[in-house]
């Protein structure tokens, strides 16, 4: 009898061990896999039903909030500012998941990331959420929207000293509200309409769309000469109307058929294609690529938003390809965010700070549980060469191609760009920072090409007034 009881005990013990191991396997080792398995809507249902923190601007305007409703989901996400911040807040959808700040800070908004100081909340029978405060103000965002005047394009403004984004507007935009509804047929209809729109309203052009940067890239070429070939920075390039591209039967002209030449400051002031194209060939692929990568090309910027696009500078180029790349054409592409970081690097003594849109996260008691920690992303150039390049960009505003970016009483430094697209159409660019001697704001503006306008679309004519308006708003200037 005792022997049978011992056998039964051993069997029960074995079963208990197996059960213990399987529970640990399911609850620990495979927890994430099972939770994220296709078809498992439990998390989505739970998240959609639970309270969720607010997202607000730096000046206290609520951009996203959850309200109680009498439906199966119990709560409804609302976006009071609609399109104005759609690309920043993103959406929170039962069917399509989330994007933007809603996605990056999902766990904090839903209260799943609990700080150790809030351990009592783990034991309490309540759901605690966290509120996200952005670095962007509604006031500057509105100015960026109004200045773009409904044209396709993007505006980025940031603080070059710490990387805080101050405005992040691109048009067309979209209202996240219909995607967060409870009627899933209506949600799908709204999604399909946005997806089918040829203007791509859900695409944040600020950080996920790359363009040919045109002549704004000459700032990078100029930095390459200053940093890696000082003899080229002082070299006087011949005054030309066109440059004979080697290995081809083509010429590269200056804008509008003008003639230009001279040393680097003179070339930058009038945005001389022939001089910069020759400088690019003199620098060579390795040095120009190295400098471009010091500015952040060929890498995605570490912004706290999902899926930022890489800006690209091809590592292999023929001589005529180098000539085109040095003036921001050929296969060179850049996002507006990347070009804002280029301007910020010059203004900030050669240092590029990590960009971010969230200043802080506070818990339900108002205590800060997470705050931005500014840090350097890239070292693009020395402080001495950054100061020299800054002085050249000042002359671009004071008597060059960016006079329309000038602000009375505040010195602005800038570089314009006109990037060829198809036919006679061009993108209009500008990058700028101010006050030039101690910058508080750096901006990048692109207005996409508009058919039929031909060479009337230039960075100095179209983009510079937008940059001026945003700089004034961010600086609080009249």
């Amino acid at each position: 009898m005792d022997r049978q009881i011992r056998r039964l005990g051993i069997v029960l013990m074995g079963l208990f061990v197996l059960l213990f191991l399987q529970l640990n396997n399911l609850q620990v080792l495979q927890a994430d896999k099972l939770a994220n398995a296709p078809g498992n809507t439990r998390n989505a249902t739970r998240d959609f039903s639970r309270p969720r923190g607010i997202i607000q601007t730096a000046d206290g305007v609520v951009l996203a909030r959850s309200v109680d409703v009498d439906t199966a989901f119990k709560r409804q996400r609302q976006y009071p500012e609609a399109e104005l911040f759609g690309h920043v807040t993103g959406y929170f959808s039962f069917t399509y998941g989330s994007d933007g700040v809603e996605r990056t800070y999902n766990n904090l908004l839903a209260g799943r990331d609990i700080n150790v100081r809030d351990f009592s909340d783990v034991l309490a029978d309540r759901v605690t959420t966290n509120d996200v405060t952005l670095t962007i103000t509604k006031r500057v965002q509105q100015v960026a929207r109004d200045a773009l005047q409904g044209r396709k394009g993007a505006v980025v403004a940031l603080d070059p000293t710490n990387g805080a984004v101050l405005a992040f507007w691109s048009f067309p935009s979209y209202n996240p509200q219909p995607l967060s509804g409870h009627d899933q047929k209506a949600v799908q209809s709204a999604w399909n309409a946005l997806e089918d729109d040829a203007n791509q309203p859900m695409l944040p052009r600020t950080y996920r769309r790359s363009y040919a940067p045109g002549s704004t890239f000459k700032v990078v070429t100029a930095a390459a000469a200053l940093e890696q070939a000082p003899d080229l920075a002082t070299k006087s390039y011949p005054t030309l109307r066109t440059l004979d591209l080697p290995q081809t039967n083509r010429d590269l002209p200056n804008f509008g058929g003008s003639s230009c030449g001279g040393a680097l400051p003179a070339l930058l002031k009038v945005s001389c294609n022939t001089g910069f194209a020759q400088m690019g060939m003199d620098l060579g692929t390795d040095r120009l690529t190295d400098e471009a990568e010091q500015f952040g090309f060929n890498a995605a910027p570490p912004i706290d938003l999902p899926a930022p696009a890489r800006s690209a500078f091809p590592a292999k180029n023929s001589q005529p390809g180098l000539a085109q790349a040095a003036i921001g054409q050929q296969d060179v592409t850049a996002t507006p965010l990347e070009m804002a970081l280029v301007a910020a690097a010059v203004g900030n003594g050669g240092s590029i700070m990590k960009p971010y849109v969230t200043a802080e996260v506070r818990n339900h008691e108002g205590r800060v549980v997470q705050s931005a920690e500014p840090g350097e992303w890239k070292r693009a150039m020395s402080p001495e060469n950054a100061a020299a390049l800054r002085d050249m960009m000042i002359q671009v505003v004071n008597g060059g191609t960016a006079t329309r970016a000038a602000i009375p009483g505040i010195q602005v430094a800038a570089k314009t760009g006109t990037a060829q697209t198809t036919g006679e159409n061009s993108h209009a660019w500008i990058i700028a920072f101010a006050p030039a001697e101690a910058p508080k704001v750096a901006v990048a503006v692109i207005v996409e090409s508009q058919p039929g306008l031909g060479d009337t679309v230039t960075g100095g004519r179209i983009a510079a007034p937008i940059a001026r308006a945003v700089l004034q708003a961010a600086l609080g200037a009249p």
Side-chain angles (χ1 to χ4, degrees), residues 86 105 192 270 362 380 401 408 415:
Y105 294 91
N192 291 337
V270 299
R362 290 180 179 270
T401 59
K415 179 70 191 80

Side-chain angles (χ1 to χ4, degrees), residues 26-58:
L26 292 174
Q27 295 186 350
V28 179
L29 299 179
Q30 297 192 55
D32 289 341
K33 179 181 178 181
L34 294 172
N36 297 317
N40 182 3
T41 60
R42 185 173 180 179
N43 279 351
T45 304
R46 178 199 60 198
D47 287 350
F48 218 63
S49 300
R50 67 187 296 163
R52 192 170 175 84
I54 66 169
I55 302 173
Q56 64 181 357
T57 63

Side-chain angles (χ1 to χ4, degrees), residues 191-277:
W191 177 273
N192 291 337
L194 290 168
E195 285 283 281
D196 293 342
D197 190 332
N199 292 314
Q200 298 181 284
M202 282 202 296
L203 174 66
R205 287 165 162 79
T206 46
Y207 71 103
R208 287 189 191 159
R209 173 73 186 271
S210 294
Y211 306 84
S215 293
T216 55
F217 188 81
K218 290 170 182 169
V219 171
V220 178
T221 303
L226 290 164
E227 285 283 298
Q228 307 197 31
D231 56 316
L232 297 181
T234 56
K235 176 181 175 180
S236 181
Y237 285 85
T239 299
L240 300 173
R241 185 183 299 272
T242 62
L243 177 68
D244 180 21
L245 293 177
Q247 306 165 17
T248 73
N249 56 2
R250 294 181 288 115
D251 292 335
L252 189 153
N254 285 311
F255 185 80
S258 62
S259 297
C260 55
L264 183 55
L267 300 180
L268 196 74
K269 185 175 182 178
V270 299
S271 197
C272 184
N273 283 346
T274 54
F276 272 101

Side-chain angles (χ1 to χ4, degrees), residues 62-79:
V62 174
L63 306 178
R65 64 189 174 205
S66 293
V67 297
D68 295 341
V69 294
D70 187 20
T71 71
F73 285 120
K74 300 180 182 177
R75 290 174 181 85
Q76 171 74 56
R77 199 67 169 159
Q78 293 183 341
Y79 299 89

Side-chain angles (χ1 to χ4, degrees), residues 156-176:
V156 176
L158 52 84
D159 184 336
T161 66
N162 58 21
V165 174
L166 307 175
F168 221 45
W169 169 251
S170 67
F171 183 83
S173 184
Y174 75 105
N175 183 357

Side-chain angles (χ1 to χ4, degrees), residues 411-431:
Q411 182 62 64
V412 178
K415 179 70 191 80
T416 58
T418 305
Q420 294 179 346
T421 55
T422 57
E424 294 183 346
N425 301 323
S426 300
H427 296 320
W429 277 95
I430 191 170
I431 59 175

